[in-house]
């Protein structure tokens, strides 16, 4: 089937225009949940201060060397902080993906839907989505650690996997394999959108420097909400692309 970029953009914008209230509400709710989860699991401020050793950090610019020079207690706290941040992010991304895919499916069927209904409908698929996103995130991060390009390429190839596992009810690795095959053959449609998503995330991080007057929790919620909105747009675009390919 011949797919036009203009039709993809038009379909995406039409859905966003009709569901913008639900999308914004979902992005905000998930942002709040992510921040609350992060704060509830994060070590206490006193524990975090243990790793805030300026002399240790200033002695070398090598991250591995800094970690190696830390005491066992500092390494434990650093690991805990990193694990909590990663887990909270994975939970938030899983909820956003599940909620958005449910929102798209329900709205496309002509039924009345809200952000809460979509999130509730996504609950049965969240466990598999969480495992899938964990595998994808680990693979992509390893790709970025090796070189930047492998990380970007894997992001493009894996982009459709959450949609495939949800709509086609297939296994984790089947969805990744299918997504990789489609992603490579349709790279001209997927790569620009993924690159736009990545650049938008970077711009959101730069926005943080403009919000220093606000309380840290408010800044986190605002930035996470904007980040979720960008991801939601990408999900709508990719879902529509996959439907056209089928």
């Amino acid at each position: 089937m011949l797919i036009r970029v203009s039709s993809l953009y038009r379909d995406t914008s039409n859905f966003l225009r009709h569901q913008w209230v639900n999308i914004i509400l979902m992005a905000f709710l998930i942002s709040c949940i992510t921040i609350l989860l992060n704060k509830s699991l994060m070590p206490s401020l006193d524990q975090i201060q243990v790793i805030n050793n300026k002399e240790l950090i200033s002695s070398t610019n090598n991250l591995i060397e800094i970690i190696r020079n830390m005491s066992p207690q500092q390494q434990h706290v650093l690991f805990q902080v990193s694990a909590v941040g990663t887990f909270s992010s994975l939970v938030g991304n899983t909820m956003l993906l599940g909620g958005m895919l449910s929102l798209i499916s329900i709205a496309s069927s002509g039924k009345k839907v809200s952000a809460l209904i979509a999130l509730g409908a996504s609950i049965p698929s969240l466990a598999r989505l969480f495992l899938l996103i964990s595998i994808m995130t680990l693979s992509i991060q390893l790709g970025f650690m090796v070189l930047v390009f492998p990380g970007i390429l894997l992001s493009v190839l894996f982009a459709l996997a959450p949609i495939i596992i949800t709509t086609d009810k297939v296994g984790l690795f089947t969805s990744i394999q299918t997504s990789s095959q489609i992603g490579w053959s349709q790279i001209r449609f997927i790569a620009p959108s993924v690159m736009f998503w990545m650049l938008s995330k970077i711009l959101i991080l730069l926005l943080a420097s403009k919000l220093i007057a606000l309380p840290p929790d408010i800044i986190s919620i605002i930035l996470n909400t904007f980040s979720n909105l960008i991801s939601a747009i990408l999900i709508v675009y990719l879902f529509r692309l996959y439907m056209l390919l089928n």
Side-chain angles (χ1 to χ4, degrees):
M1 177 181 179
L2 180 62
I3 301 175
R4 296 182 181 276
V5 176
S6 58
S7 65
L8 269 175
Y9 290 158
R10 184 175 61 253
D11 291 345
T12 302
S13 62
N14 284 338
F15 184 87
L16 295 173
R17 186 169 63 252
H18 287 95
Q19 297 293 331
W20 66 270
V21 174
N22 287 328
I23 293 173
I24 292 176
L25 180 58
M26 186 182 297
F28 175 73
L29 288 174
I30 293 174
S31 176
C32 292
I33 292 172
T34 303
I35 300 303
L36 288 173
L37 182 62
N38 189 75
K39 287 183 69 66
S40 63
L41 298 178
M42 192 66 70
S44 66
L45 187 60
D46 291 337
Q47 289 178 299
I48 295 177
Q49 288 295 330
V50 171
I51 61 175
N52 189 20
N53 189 326
K54 294 183 179 180
E55 293 182 2
L56 180 64
I57 297 174
S58 61
S59 62
T60 177
N61 292 324
N62 190 314
L63 179 60
I64 297 177
E65 191 66 27
I66 292 175
I67 297 175
R68 188 178 299 167
N69 292 334
M70 286 181 173
S71 66
Q73 182 186 9
Q74 289 175 319
Q75 291 177 352
H76 175 75
V77 174
L78 179 63
F79 173 79
Q80 190 175 355
V81 170
S82 177
V84 168
T86 301
F87 178 74
S88 301
S89 177
L90 287 173
V91 170
N93 291 337
T94 301
M95 292 184 65
L96 181 65
L97 265 167
M100 281 301 302
L101 292 175
S102 295
L103 177 67
I104 296 169
S105 298
I106 297 173
S108 299
S109 65
K111 298 178 181 178
K112 190 174 182 180
V113 65
S114 67
L116 292 177
I117 291 175
L119 286 171
S122 70
I123 291 176
S125 63
L126 291 183
R128 292 207 309 162
L129 270 177
F130 181 83
L131 289 175
L132 175 65
I133 294 171
S134 299
I135 294 171
M136 290 169 52
T137 301
L138 177 61
S139 302
I140 292 169
Q141 287 183 349
L142 288 174
F144 276 111
M145 288 175 63
V146 176
L147 286 172
V148 174
F149 179 74
I152 296 175
L153 181 60
L154 288 175
S155 298
V156 173
L157 296 181
F158 294 169
L160 293 174
I163 299 171
I164 294 171
I165 197 174
T166 303
T167 58
D168 296 350
K169 309 298 181 184
V170 296
L172 295 174
F173 295 103
T174 301
S175 65
I176 292 175
Q177 181 182 12
T178 305
S179 175
S180 299
Q181 293 171 349
I182 298 175
W184 183 256
S185 63
Q186 304 296 330
I187 196 168
R188 67 187 185 280
F189 292 113
I190 300 176
S193 61
V194 171
M195 291 297 297
F196 172 78
W197 172 74
M198 289 182 175
L199 290 174
S200 299
K201 294 275 189 175
I202 295 173
L203 290 176
I204 289 173
L205 291 177
L206 295 176
L207 178 64
S209 61
K210 306 296 183 181
L211 302 174
I212 54 176
L214 297 175
D217 289 343
I218 300 299
I219 294 175
S220 297
I221 291 175
I222 292 174
L223 295 180
N224 270 279
T225 300
F226 275 110
S227 179
N228 288 340
L229 288 173
I230 297 299
S231 297
I233 295 172
L234 178 64
I235 293 168
V236 174
Y237 174 87
L238 292 175
F239 187 93
R240 182 54 183 163
L241 172 62
Y242 186 65
M243 291 299 102
L244 290 175
L245 291 173
N246 286 340

